Amino acid sequence: MTSIGLLARVAHQYFVLGETQQAIAERLQINRTKIHRLLAEAKERGIVSIRINAGTSQALEMEEQLRRKYRLDICSVTPNDTGSELGLSEVIGIYAAQTVETLLRDDMTVAMAWGRTMRWLASNIEPVALRNVTVVPLLGSLSRRSSIDKYDAAAVFAQRTQAESYYLPGPIICDSRESRETILQQPSAREVIQKALNADLALMSVGGTTSSTLRSVGYMTDEEFDDILSMKPIGNFLGYFFDRNAELIDHPVNERIVGVYPLDTMNIPKRILVSGGKNKVGIMAKLLEKGFFTGLITDQETGSSL
């Protein structure tokens, strides 16, 4: 891990002094590509914190329209501009952290979903020392590949808030319904799921149908995913695939999910949906209409479609 001293020095020269990455690289005799990585690490570790407080009138009006339409307590619309380094999921996650920070307090339990947006949200929470805070996952916590860990959010969120982190001892999708039932009968799994259902705040996202993180990291085979697509789903939520009526699709994959059942989350007082993208509008709209969420954080383009 890079020393804090070097990260702070590079961050100071870039963000405070306004020097270019090339100039910093020449001064420190470091490759420019490494300077870019050091700046990214400085943000990841909380050494650099960037806040943009400039909501436009258009965004504010859209937030109010969405709030009224879906009977939301909280609504925040982010920019939808992306870059060569960051996609829409990352951008939404970064801005969502600012809204989520206002909801945090001592003596609370936060339940978190899994995925790229959630990870970027967690990584951009301003480091704070909260008292008696617990963070629990809404989905299985075990992975068989290190590349999957980059989608874990609960543990990162706990680190940023100095909270206690729990783990749900199982994969997101089991190899069989029987394996799932065995895992969920374990006292440790039952404890974590009960803590999630008793949470004060749930941070969740949805997946679309044109691409699937669950498939890309190996939780589903291409054949399983293609079979599900043939049933015309509108997307997935907490690992479960839904049809156009926002009902669960009758497919074996939906019987192998290790985690909190979607309908059971509706008893959590604050339930924030953090998602965006054209391929997610369908499932976002249906679940919002059905009252699955009390809050929404999305980008302007997705907000306009909703």
Side-chain angles (χ1 to χ4, degrees):
M1 182 176 291
T2 309
S3 71
I4 291 179
L6 177 58
L7 293 175
R9 185 179 182 186
V10 171
H12 172 74
Q13 292 180 17
Y14 185 75
F15 291 105
V16 178
L17 302 182
E19 295 186 4
T20 66
Q21 293 185 26
Q22 183 61 42
I24 299 170
E26 292 174 357
R27 174 179 296 184
L28 300 180
Q29 296 185 337
I30 296 176
N31 184 280
R32 181 180 174 180
T33 301
K34 185 174 181 179
I35 295 295
H36 180 80
R37 290 200 299 267
L38 291 173
L39 290 170
E41 184 179 346
K43 288 190 286 184
E44 173 79 15
R45 294 174 62 181
I47 295 170
V48 172
S49 175
I50 298 174
R51 291 292 182 268
I52 300 175
N53 302 306
T56 65
S57 59
Q58 181 183 12
L60 294 174
E61 181 180 352
M62 183 180 296
E63 288 170 359
E64 183 57 31
Q65 291 174 344
L66 290 167
R67 197 177 286 116
R68 289 198 306 266
K69 179 174 182 178
Y70 296 113
R71 303 173 299 282
L72 301 171
D73 299 326
I74 298 166
C75 185
S76 178
V77 173
T78 78
N80 51 261
D81 295 328
T82 58
S84 58
E85 300 294 331
L86 297 179
L88 185 60
S89 295
E90 290 87 348
V91 169
I92 294 173
I94 290 171
Y95 277 91
Q98 300 179 43
T99 299
V100 171
E101 286 169 1
T102 67
L103 305 176
L104 302 180
R105 55 177 173 77
D106 295 334
D107 305 309
M108 75 182 305
T109 297
V110 180
M112 291 199 72
W114 174 91
R116 184 178 290 108
T117 306
M118 290 288 101
R119 177 62 180 251
W120 278 80
L121 187 165
S123 298
N124 284 275
I125 288 290
E126 187 75 13
V128 60
L130 296 175
R131 294 181 300 169
N132 194 32
V133 171
T134 300
V135 182
V136 294
L138 288 161
L139 290 161
S141 309
L142 296 184
S143 61
R144 61 182 180 272
R145 287 161 42 187
S146 61
S147 60
I148 300 176
D149 291 339
K150 66 183 179 181
Y151 299 109
D152 174 53
V156 175
F157 195 95
Q159 292 171 359
R160 307 288 283 188
T161 57
Q162 295 189 24
E164 183 173 20
S165 179
Y166 280 76
Y167 299 89
L168 186 52
I172 293 178
I173 302 179
C174 282
D175 60 344
S176 68
R177 180 178 180 178
E178 292 73 23
S179 296
R180 171 188 181 271
E181 294 302 321
T182 298
I183 290 172
L184 294 181
Q185 289 302 315
Q186 299 302 309
S188 57
R190 292 203 304 268
E191 178 190 8
V192 173
I193 287 182
Q194 193 57 53
K195 283 184 178 295
L197 294 177
N198 292 333
D200 303 286
L201 168 66
L203 303 172
M204 301 177 282
S205 60
V206 298
T209 55
T210 58
S211 64
S212 173
T213 304
L214 292 174
R215 176 183 59 169
S216 66
V217 298
Y219 277 123
M220 298 172 57
T221 66
D222 289 340
E223 291 76 17
E224 287 174 327
F225 189 71
D226 290 341
D227 193 37
I228 288 177
L229 288 184
S230 71
M231 303 179 75
K232 307 296 183 184
I234 57 172
N236 70 82
F237 171 49
L238 295 181
Y240 289 86
F241 285 84
F242 287 75
D243 64 20
R244 298 185 182 187
N245 296 316
E247 301 291 342
L248 291 177
I249 284 178
D250 184 14
H251 191 277
V253 166
N254 276 351
E255 299 177 351
R256 291 157 37 200
I257 308 299
V258 175
V260 173
Y261 190 65
L263 282 172
D264 292 341
T265 64
M266 297 182 75
N267 290 321
I268 299 173
K270 290 186 176 70
R271 309 178 302 278
I272 313 299
L273 171 61
V274 187
S275 281
K278 292 181 180 179
N279 67 318
K280 299 180 182 179
V281 171
I283 187 167
M284 289 176 68
K286 284 295 184 181
L287 295 183
L288 283 164
E289 288 170 4
K290 289 209 167 187
F292 273 89
F293 311 106
T294 64
L296 170 66
I297 302 174
T298 192
D299 66 285
Q300 287 185 326
E301 189 172 316
T302 303
S304 178
S305 297
L306 289 170

